[in-house]
Amino acid sequence: MPIKKLKPVAMAVLAASMAAGVLSGCSSNKTTTSETTQPSGSPKPIEITWGIQFQASAVVADSPVQKWLEQKFNIKIKPVKVTDASIASGEVPDLFMLGDPANVSAYQAQGVLMSLDPNMVKEKMPEYYKDIEQSKALFQTVTFSDKLWAIPMFIDLKPYDLTMLWRKDWLDKVGITKLPETLDEFEQAAYAFAKKDPDGNGKNDTYGLTGTATSTWSTGFYSIFGAYGVEPTMWHEKNGQIMNGSIMPEAKAALTKLRQWYADGVIDPEYITDTQDSYRKKLYNNRIGVIEEQIGKAALADGATNVAMKDVNPNAKLQLGKNPKGPGGSGSWDWGVKSNFVVLGNKVKDDPAKLNKIFEILRAESNDEETINMTSLGVKGTQWDFVEAGATSGATKALTGFEKQEQRDAVGVRLFSMGNITTRTYRDKYSNAKLNEAVRTYSSAPSQTDALLFAALPSDGKYKKDLTALTQKYFAQMISGEVPLSDFDKYVAEWKSKGGDELTKEANEMYQKQFKK
């Protein structure tokens, strides 16, 4: 997950919930003692207000990991949860993470962030900067008014990339021996799932697939749109011009295909309200035969989807397949190399000692194995170990008592992690080779990603949310037959008049200024 993307600020930062208690099992470890003493003659600890990892639901004060960091860097940490309300009230952390350029843009507009000198980032974090330079355009996604406002993170091999996950036992049952690779083969299998009673119960109660018509950022059916070379709501470059995938002719072609499938009873009529969680359950419970799934959840035997399927339907067989190839190529929604962003509070600029200390910490969070492990994994032998006994590199696993994220959060693991700010050297050492190979095999990245790397446009706040909702409404109505496909032109005109033309103009201006190669 992959790391879950933080939604635009107006909708997205989670409210703080009750803090979990610290598990006692870690408190006796020498590296995580609950008491630290200040050596005689040492400089006074620098106080840092630290916005905890935005995916964590609760603040845990004085956790073992917090105390370890305080001792290692001679700092005093005040951990806080970052919310729109806390920022609006003036409680701006010195150091925190945001999940999307839109978040950075929104907070920068409020004047709460410190601008950053790229040369300082290069000087203070040389190992990481050498890696991020290979994706240097990411800096442009958080450059506003010709100033840099965040340190971008990157991710090369993404286990959350989407590909097809098939009920292989259903394919066998309907006589399809070759895993579908083309859109035509996909269609043949989907029809067979809907018409040939693949679960063998003698009832007409199965469908080929379902979708997520009202997902957060787009319209669902990503691999089908991708087969036509487009992703709705995403900006695409075509002949040097930036166009929104929602209104391109390729989108209408994909809608025509989906409309046919729906009319023929191949698409589950509940697709309008389905989510990724609900369509997984439908796969487990013999209602549909193929879903779009994150590679990391199904590539290995211990993947979450494989484990859940065994619990519900132990005789079923799942198999990953590639996104279907159609007239526009293949691919699914892809976040590209973009990950999250590190930002500093505006007041840090007035405190050089604090600024230097924060960059000392960030360099360690990116390149120092001990610091990265403590903040993201915990104590080896207590919270985690390598999968292979006696290994010194490779895949890792959580140990008993720390299998759940909330158990790790309770001792501070993840709360202070900076995620994908680690160097490639570290990632290579601690990655799962089998999972990496699966990502390389099944991911179609970056064939369907945003030409602006999901940078925020100046007028996104005025129009983007409403235009996404407009697209979702029209697309759902066209797929289900509530309105004719000829209404696509009506939709395009409405999209343009309600802010789409203005966003398209801004997208082209940004592309020419910041992204054109």
Side-chain angles (χ1 to χ4, degrees), residues 28-76:
S28 62
N29 190 286
K30 287 185 178 180
T31 61
T32 57
T33 54
S34 59
E35 297 296 332
T36 58
T37 58
Q38 186 65 26
S40 177
S42 296
K44 183 180 179 182
I46 292 177
E47 296 183 4
I48 295 177
T49 304
W50 192 314
I52 63 168
Q53 235 279 6
F54 59 73
Q55 288 186 310
S57 60
V59 174
V60 182
D62 298 322
S63 66
V65 173
Q66 176 184 329
K67 291 192 173 296
W68 185 90
L69 286 166
E70 290 175 334
Q71 188 171 29
K72 181 178 177 68
F73 293 102
N74 191 30
I75 56 177
K76 179 60 181 175

Side-chain angles (χ1 to χ4, degrees), residues 237-309:
E237 183 274 327
K238 192 171 185 180
N239 299 323
Q241 294 294 308
I242 300 300
M243 303 175 66
N244 195 280
S246 304
I247 62 169
M248 291 169 67
E250 293 87 345
K252 184 178 181 181
L255 289 168
T256 303
K257 177 64 71 176
L258 292 166
R259 168 73 188 108
Q260 174 196 334
W261 291 355
Y262 186 91
D264 291 344
V266 174
I267 294 176
D268 189 327
E270 295 177 358
Y271 85 92
I272 293 175
T273 57
D274 269 335
T275 64
Q276 286 187 339
D277 286 340
S278 68
Y279 73 45
R280 289 185 187 108
K281 292 176 182 176
K282 290 182 175 183
L283 186 78
Y284 307 151
N285 289 295
N286 297 329
R287 185 173 172 98
I288 59 174
V290 62
I291 64 172
E292 295 177 314
E293 182 57 289
Q294 296 173 16
I295 297 169
K297 291 184 179 293
L300 307 178
D302 61 353
T305 302
N306 290 329
V307 171
M309 174 58 96

Side-chain angles (χ1 to χ4, degrees), residues 120-131 363:
M120 175 180 279
V121 179
K122 183 176 183 178
E123 175 192 343
K124 300 290 188 179
M125 303 174 66
E127 300 88 0
Y128 179 73
Y129 194 88
K130 183 179 178 181
D131 284 348
R363 183 177 185 180

Side-chain angles (χ1 to χ4, degrees), residues 99-412:
D100 197 83
N103 306 124
V104 180
S105 176
Y107 283 174
Q108 182 270 331
Q110 295 177 43
V112 301
L113 301 183
M114 174 185 168
S115 63
L116 302 169
D117 181 352
N119 290 322
M120 175 180 279
V121 179
K122 183 176 183 178
E123 175 192 343
K124 300 290 188 179
M125 303 174 66
E127 300 88 0
Y128 179 73
Y129 194 88
K130 183 179 178 181
D131 284 348
I132 194 68
E133 266 196 312
Q134 297 179 40
S135 305
K136 205 167 186 177
L138 285 173
F139 285 101
Q140 298 297 333
T141 67
V142 284
T143 296
F144 317 119
S145 304
D146 296 320
K147 292 183 178 180
L148 179 68
W149 297 94
I151 302 172
M153 303 180 192
F154 72 93
I155 182 166
D156 295 316
L157 291 170
K158 304 182 295 301
Y160 52 84
D161 278 347
L162 297 168
T163 194
M164 309 316 302
L165 181 61
W166 294 91
R167 281 288 300 266
K168 180 63 169 60
D169 52 323
W170 278 24
L171 289 172
D172 294 341
K173 182 71 182 295
V174 300
I176 296 176
T177 57
K178 177 181 178 291
L179 206 66
E181 294 180 1
T182 68
L183 189 60
D184 287 343
E185 291 169 348
F186 181 99
E187 180 177 78
Q188 179 188 358
Y191 271 78
F193 291 163
K195 308 297 183 183
K196 294 187 177 181
D197 191 26
D199 61 348
N201 68 355
K203 299 178 182 179
N204 184 24
D205 59 357
T206 56
Y207 298 91
L209 70 158
T210 189
T212 54
T214 55
S215 66
T216 305
W217 59 82
S218 190
T219 60
F221 296 113
Y222 307 118
S223 61
I224 307 306
F225 281 102
Y228 287 87
V230 70
E231 288 295 341
T233 74
M234 193 182 283
W235 294 106
H236 294 277
E237 183 274 327
K238 192 171 185 180
N239 299 323
Q241 294 294 308
I242 300 300
M243 303 175 66
N244 195 280
S246 304
I247 62 169
M248 291 169 67
E250 293 87 345
K252 184 178 181 181
L255 289 168
T256 303
K257 177 64 71 176
L258 292 166
R259 168 73 188 108
Q260 174 196 334
W261 291 355
Y262 186 91
D264 291 344
V266 174
I267 294 176
D268 189 327
E270 295 177 358
Y271 85 92
I272 293 175
T273 57
D274 269 335
T275 64
Q276 286 187 339
D277 286 340
S278 68
Y279 73 45
R280 289 185 187 108
K281 292 176 182 176
K282 290 182 175 183
L283 186 78
Y284 307 151
N285 289 295
N286 297 329
R287 185 173 172 98
I288 59 174
V290 62
I291 64 172
E292 295 177 314
E293 182 57 289
Q294 296 173 16
I295 297 169
K297 291 184 179 293
L300 307 178
D302 61 353
T305 302
N306 290 329
V307 171
M309 174 58 96
K310 286 186 177 180
D311 288 342
V312 176
N313 201 337
N315 294 322
K317 295 180 181 178
L318 297 178
Q319 187 169 341
L320 283 179
K322 294 184 178 181
N323 290 299
K325 188 174 183 178
S330 65
S332 189
W333 182 283
D334 181 60
W335 290 105
V337 294
K338 182 190 82 67
S339 185
N340 303 307
F341 298 86
V342 175
V343 293
L344 305 187
N346 189 40
K347 293 180 180 178
V348 175
K349 72 178 186 298
D350 301 321
D351 191 337
K354 181 179 290 189
L355 180 61
N356 283 329
K357 180 61 69 173
I358 286 175
F359 268 105
E360 179 188 345
I361 295 167
L362 289 175
R363 183 177 185 180
E365 289 255 12
S366 69
N367 191 56
D368 177 58
E369 194 170 332
E370 180 185 45
T371 303
I372 301 169
N373 286 353
M374 180 58 71
T375 55
S376 61
L377 296 171
V379 178
K380 186 175 183 294
T382 302
Q383 280 96 33
W384 72 279
D385 210 334
F386 290 105
V387 171
E388 293 188 18
T392 56
S393 63
T396 62
K397 64 180 179 181
L399 297 180
T400 302
F402 297 96
E403 300 95 331
K404 297 180 180 179
Q405 186 61 63
E406 56 264 32
Q407 294 172 316
R408 299 192 290 275
D409 283 353
V411 294

